[in-house]
Amino acid sequence: MNKSLGRHLIAEFYNCDKEILDIVEDVEYHMKKAAITTGATIVTSTFHRFLPHGVSGAVIVSESHLAIHTWPEYGYASIDLFTCGDEVDPWLAFDYLKNAFKSIRTEVKEHKRGIYKDIGIPENSSHKTEVVK
Amino acid sequence: MNKSLGRHLIAEFYNCDKEILDIVEDVEYHMKKAAITTGATIVTSTFHRFLPHGVSGAVIVSESHLAIHTWPEYGYASIDLFTCGDEVDPWLAFDYLKNAFKSIRTEVKEHKRGIYKDIGIPENSSHKTEVVK
């Protein structure tokens, strides 16, 4: 087994609800809700609406992130769901967002990020920084 | 040829300079410099330093993003370089950051994001929203 610091879903969302993909407040709300759904803690975030349409944004969660770029005119969104640790599941965010954006068709590739043996650290190393008390 | 809206490099940076990876101002500076190096326009950004160590951040550029998470204690950083359009080259950001973080060893996977035929749009569709004047 290749233990890793994190898991990263590279997702393509096709045939989404074009209206939702163009409302920055809705996209931000759903991305933050998706982050919370995975069990992660939100640290900071930033969202932007382009003119005349399209939304981009990122939510930084505990040592990882969720990011989105929407092309409402094509009903398409590229979504990244990167989470760290065994307690946090990026697929929960995927399921939530597929439903929220009403995507009819998706494609996903899963990557392991920071594989322990590639970094050269022991299998019992922590995925998160230990807070010194 | 599979024309796509964007290109996304999923990069693992090993054996980096541990000190630089832990200074949020330096990481933010280099990520923004890397974004500019590709030819992209920075829209917004957010960075955070964890305690006792580690930095996470994202730079939203024109319809795409650059993101980083550092584990200074392991000399490791996970870096995402997602750019849109033919005029913007994510590999320029990769080269810049490899040098800036003094990474001795890297691994990269390149993904096409938003392949035109998968979205179902013609080959001459724009990767960016046309601004109505």
Side-chain angles (χ1 to χ4, degrees), chain B residues 54-66:
Chain B
V55 171
S56 283
V59 182
I60 303 290
V61 296
S62 27
E63 286 136 335
S64 45
H65 72 269
L66 283 71

Side-chain angles (χ1 to χ4, degrees), chain A residues 3-62:
Chain A
K3 198 174 171 190
S4 67
L5 292 169
R7 287 191 287 168
H8 187 163
L9 306 186
I10 308 282
E12 316 289 324
F13 278 44
Y14 307 112
N15 305 100
C16 299
D17 182 310
K18 294 180 175 187
E19 205 170 312
I20 296 172
L21 290 192
D22 205 22
I23 303 167
V24 64
E25 293 83 4
D26 284 11
V27 172
E28 181 167 357
Y29 171 81
H30 287 308
M31 290 296 285
K32 287 181 175 174
K33 193 83 187 287
I36 292 163
T37 302
T38 65
T41 305
I42 295 174
V43 172
T44 175
S45 66
T46 185
F47 282 81
H48 177 81
R49 183 170 184 276
F50 292 94
L51 288 174
H53 40 226
V55 171
S56 283
V59 182
I60 303 290
V61 295
S62 28

